[in-house]
Amino acid sequence: MESSDAVVQGTSNDAAVSRESAARLGYIDDPFIRHFVKRPLRRAPLINRGTHSRFDGVQRILRQFIQQTQKDSQGHACGQIVVLGAGMDTSYFLLRQQGLLPRRYFEIDFSDITAKKAATVYRSSALRALLPEDTVVTEGGSELHSAEYSLLAGDLRQFESQVVPKLMARGFDCSEPTLFLSECVLIYLDPQHSDAILNWITANVAHAGILTYEQILPTDRFGQMMIENLRARGLELRGLHAYPTLQSNSQRFLDLGWHSAVAVDLATYHEQLLEPLERERLAKIEFLDEWEEFILLAQHYAFTFAFTSQSSHFAHMDIEKPN
């Protein structure tokens, strides 16, 4: 029987398969995700549509952050991005290909995941060519390091004792504006562990922002079915009942004293925040005849964007603002 950690780690492959499906069919522009998927599958249209909205929201905030922090007073790149539970995410390679990067970019995940990712990157000439020239492999192949990019092995349940020292050793600067990204990661942690991460950020990073993407609404019929389906696979959404709604997800940050927090579900994002022309383009890729089911599914996933200070780096960022 697989350990609970191994089952959770398997969700990174599920996400990669969904992203590869959406990329192959033309929903999203990600030429790199295919390198991380050994057995491609064609996902159902409602999954592809949801994957598009998730991808669009994350890329929207990443690009807004880079636009706001691209140059300091001396004209140098500034800012940091930290991806918590990065899995097979390809955002670093997408941004580097376009010349859109902060000063430092960190990815963190379990060592089994980072080892797989590092090996995949080095096997692919397209990905390897995008690594900085000073990249070195360490920790038996489970970590990659350069002045610009670090892939770190660590357990987020031991954030302050295990992950923070690695960040500091690789150039993390608590005084720089920093965007944290967490997609379906904090919700798999016990609230005491996810709260510990946010408490550390609150206490130590002067200008911090975060974008989370998590499941919500566990008590209605669909939410109960979602929980039961995941539980049948050995997965527990440990943080879901502590932060079950849009309001509780945003209030979580406001209670810590963060300056602003806005939560929006994926259905609202798709219907109100995507450009009409983009929705028309998506409709031409595949016919979505499960429309009511898609809206119901999308109502149970949410973005939350929050930031700690009224810094100009974050004041002009908004998950509800078009790219």
Side-chain angles (χ1 to χ4, degrees):
M1 187 174 182
E2 283 189 293
S3 70
S4 58
D5 283 357
V7 176
V8 170
Q9 291 173 45
T11 62
S12 71
N13 183 64
D14 293 339
V17 169
S18 293
R19 188 151 160 173
E20 191 280 335
S21 174
R24 177 161 34 91
L25 293 171
Y27 283 86
I28 64 175
D29 184 11
D30 184 350
F32 304 118
I33 189 62
R34 64 183 180 85
H35 299 289
F36 296 98
V37 177
K38 290 184 178 179
R39 297 178 181 85
L41 296 172
R42 181 168 182 151
R43 296 296 202 200
L46 81 166
I47 301 297
N48 289 324
R49 189 72 69 99
T51 298
H52 169 276
S53 291
R54 172 179 175 174
F55 177 86
D56 190 86
V58 171
Q59 298 303 311
R60 176 178 296 194
I61 287 296
L62 287 174
R63 281 162 172 72
Q64 286 180 14
F65 178 72
I66 290 165
Q67 289 167 4
Q68 294 298 322
T69 60
Q70 202 152 31
K71 302 294 181 182
D72 61 17
S73 58
Q74 283 77 45
H76 302 132
C78 64
Q80 304 168 123
I81 291 172
V82 180
V83 187
L84 305 171
M88 299 300 132
D89 184 66
T90 56
S91 294
Y92 170 76
F93 299 99
L94 293 171
L95 294 171
R96 194 168 202 278
Q97 183 187 47
Q98 298 167 42
L100 297 172
L101 281 173
R103 185 182 68 85
R104 298 288 286 122
Y105 197 107
F106 302 92
E107 295 185 324
I108 304 160
D109 216 316
F110 287 111
S111 60
D112 287 350
I113 298 292
T114 59
K116 179 182 177 182
K117 188 169 193 173
T120 301
V121 169
Y122 269 87
R123 280 197 303 268
S124 164
S125 58
L127 295 171
R128 193 171 63 248
L130 289 169
L131 288 175
E133 291 184 2
D134 62 335
T135 300
V136 295
V137 183
T138 66
E139 301 297 321
S142 65
E143 296 192 356
L144 300 177
H145 298 296
S146 69
E148 174 188 278
Y149 170 69
S150 285
L151 175 65
L152 299 168
D155 187 337
L156 294 174
R157 293 168 297 191
Q158 302 173 47
F159 188 75
E160 187 165 0
S161 63
Q162 185 183 111
V163 175
V164 169
K166 288 192 172 189
L167 285 169
M168 296 301 186
R170 295 299 172 179
F172 183 86
D173 185 343
C174 289
S175 68
E176 284 211 25
T178 304
L179 176 66
F180 293 84
L181 176 62
S182 171
E183 295 183 67
C184 294
V185 173
L186 297 183
I187 202 160
Y188 285 109
L189 302 177
D190 285 324
Q192 69 186 75
H193 293 129
S194 59
D195 288 346
I197 295 172
L198 300 182
N199 288 336
W200 185 88
I201 294 171
T202 304
N204 293 280
V205 184
H207 305 291
I210 190 168
L211 178 68
T212 67
Y213 175 77
E214 309 279 21
Q215 294 94 331
I216 58 170
L217 304 181
T219 59
D220 66 15
R221 185 175 178 181
F222 187 93
Q224 291 172 353
M225 182 178 67
M226 176 176 68
I227 291 171
E228 290 169 4
N229 289 341
L230 289 170
R231 191 168 287 156
R233 297 169 53 197
L235 291 165
E236 290 287 342
L237 300 177
R238 298 179 183 278
L240 180 54
H241 287 282
Y243 304 103
T245 64
L246 291 174
Q247 196 276 334
S248 61
N249 271 271
S250 58
Q251 194 63 42
R252 175 182 200 176
F253 295 96
L254 299 176
D255 287 345
L256 288 171
W258 289 42
H259 180 77
S260 175
V262 175
V264 58
D265 67 49
L266 203 65
T268 300
Y269 187 90
H270 181 277
E271 289 299 282
Q272 298 181 21
L273 303 178
L274 287 181
E275 295 290 344
L277 286 176
E278 180 66 357
R279 289 200 302 274
E280 289 179 19
R281 184 186 72 83
L282 298 177
K284 294 175 182 176
I285 298 174
E286 286 182 301
F287 178 66
L288 181 60
D289 59 357
E290 312 129 305
W291 186 253
E292 290 183 1
E293 186 179 352
F294 167 71
I295 293 299
L296 189 58
L297 173 68
Q299 287 170 340
H300 287 76
Y301 286 83
F303 293 114
T304 304
F305 176 63
F307 53 91
T308 58
S309 68
Q310 198 172 9
S311 160
S312 61
H313 301 107
F314 294 106
H316 300 295
M317 293 174 59
D318 188 348
I319 188 66
E320 298 178 323
K321 183 171 75 173
N323 291 321

